[in-house]
Amino acid sequence: SSGINAEYGGCCAYILIAAQCLAKFLCTELETDSINYRECVLIMGAVFSIVLIFGARSESLLVAFFATTLSAFFSFLIIYGIIRTGKAKDYHPFQITAKSWFLSFGKFLFAFGGHSAFPNFQKEMKKPRNFPGSVLLAFLVKLVLYIPLGVLGMLYFGDKTQPNILSDISQDLQVLNVCILLLVAIQAIMSATILGSPVAVMIEGVVGAKSSKVMSSKRIAVRVLFVAGVVVICEAIPRFDLIMALIGGTTINTAVFILPSLFHIKLAKRDQWHTFKIVLDMLTMAFGGIAGCVCTYAALANLSKGL
């Protein structure tokens, strides 16, 4: 269930990101500040439902490759935009507090999560034995893309850094902003589809819908209701950064720190390193449990203030 919750929460975060990009794009193009963010959530929800129903079936690996390519492309554009924007005039270093650290912990897990979708990826690989190398390559790519963005954001904007760093890029770079917003929105919809499709397929199996038949009434109903639930959550909690922290501190934290260590304790061979392995697993579970609880509390506290 933690995997399902993580993928469902990921869909919510990506739809909010896409909606925010759409709202900012419309504000830039129409030169107005009156764009309703919640209406953009409905629009991106409709787009997501269409893609989830008619796309990303046997072509999911192609979609994943295209989404990764887009991520790399707009990451370089964002880096260029940050450098062109320059250092904030009232720059102050970002102050690290216990609350900010634990919230960042959840967001970090969300960014480098995806463990719940690993079985689906391995199942679709032509050579499943190459899965460990593929996972390692995926995390290396993420490190190369994400770390420079985080470091540059802190160095150039400090404590003024927004949850969505696109808001910090100068509005004078209009063409660059439009390109980045469109690419991020497309990539967010693709990522939501990659995460949402396995959950939808699982639900279809429970209700007896034929996943192979695109226009099956049950299949369409399941996916429309799935997207409707995502949209309701997005409308109720329109803060993608806090959703990321909440999902990271709960479900992804469980899938990354607690369950693997628990399974390893059950399956570990009794050799000369057995005691050391058990102690290490217990420490890992303790760290994940404490950090996850504090992160979840901080995210819920911020959500209660913002609603």
Side-chain angles (χ1 to χ4, degrees):
S1 61
S2 67
I4 295 174
N5 292 332
E7 292 175 346
Y8 201 84
C11 290
C12 296
Y14 283 122
I15 293 303
L16 285 172
I17 292 172
Q20 193 174 84
C21 289
L22 177 61
K24 188 174 180 181
F25 169 76
L26 293 176
C27 289
T28 300
E29 290 300 304
L30 301 178
E31 298 181 354
T32 179
D33 294 326
S34 60
I35 301 298
N36 192 317
Y37 175 60
R38 294 182 184 274
E39 291 178 358
C40 292
V41 170
L42 294 176
I43 294 173
M44 299 315 296
V47 174
F48 177 39
S49 65
I50 293 172
V51 176
L52 190 64
I53 291 172
F54 297 104
R57 295 167 63 230
S58 59
E59 303 84 7
S60 57
L61 291 178
L62 180 61
V63 173
F65 174 78
F66 192 47
T68 303
T69 303
L70 284 180
S71 297
F73 190 47
F74 71 63
S75 294
F76 289 122
L77 290 180
I78 294 173
I79 290 173
Y80 175 72
I82 293 173
I83 296 173
R84 284 288 306 275
T85 300
K87 203 166 188 176
K89 293 181 180 179
D90 54 346
Y91 174 85
H92 296 286
F94 185 84
Q95 299 297 320
I96 300 176
T97 62
K99 183 178 181 180
S100 67
W101 189 93
F102 282 108
L103 284 174
S104 298
F105 171 79
K107 297 171 187 176
F108 182 88
L109 286 182
F110 183 93
F112 289 90
H115 297 70
S116 55
F118 284 175
N120 295 291
F121 297 156
Q122 186 175 20
K123 182 180 67 176
E124 293 188 8
M125 291 180 66
K126 293 182 179 179
K127 297 181 179 179
R129 65 178 179 275
N130 294 334
F131 178 72
S134 300
V135 171
L136 178 61
L137 178 61
F139 280 115
L140 288 176
V141 171
K142 281 189 172 184
L143 285 171
V144 171
L145 294 179
Y146 291 168
I147 288 182
L149 289 177
V151 172
L152 283 176
M154 292 296 100
L155 291 178
Y156 277 77
F157 308 125
D159 61 355
K160 300 295 188 298
T161 305
Q162 300 294 317
N164 188 345
I165 202 167
L166 302 182
S167 302
D168 295 313
I169 297 177
S170 174
Q171 297 302 309
D172 296 332
L173 304 173
Q174 185 171 351
V175 175
L176 180 66
N177 272 305
V178 168
C179 291
I180 293 174
L181 290 171
L182 292 177
L183 290 174
V184 171
I186 294 171
Q187 193 272 347
I189 292 295
M190 288 184 171
S191 297
T193 304
I194 293 171
L195 289 178
S197 186
V199 180
V201 170
M202 187 197 68
I203 299 173
E204 289 162 3
V206 173
V207 301
K210 296 181 179 180
S211 299
S212 59
K213 191 176 180 180
V214 177
M215 299 307 295
S216 167
S217 58
K218 283 187 177 181
R219 180 180 182 275
I220 293 177
V222 165
R223 300 197 175 217
V224 169
L225 291 174
F226 176 89
V227 175
V230 170
V231 170
V232 168
I233 294 175
C234 292
E235 294 285 0
I237 311 174
R239 289 283 304 274
F240 78 89
D241 57 316
L242 294 182
I243 288 182
M244 289 169 62
L246 184 61
I247 296 300
T250 53
T251 57
I252 296 180
N253 175 64
T254 302
V256 172
F257 285 101
I258 299 176
L259 292 181
S261 299
L262 184 62
F263 295 154
H264 187 257
I265 290 175
K266 296 290 185 180
L267 300 175
K269 295 181 179 179
R270 292 188 174 275
D271 53 20
Q272 58 180 341
W273 299 102
H274 183 262
T275 302
F276 174 76
K277 293 176 183 177
I278 299 301
V279 171
L280 185 61
D281 286 331
M282 296 295 291
L283 291 175
T284 301
M285 291 174 62
F287 171 78
I290 295 172
C293 289
V294 176
C295 173
T296 302
Y297 173 79
L300 290 174
N302 276 18
L303 281 174
S304 64
K305 292 178 181 178
L307 298 179

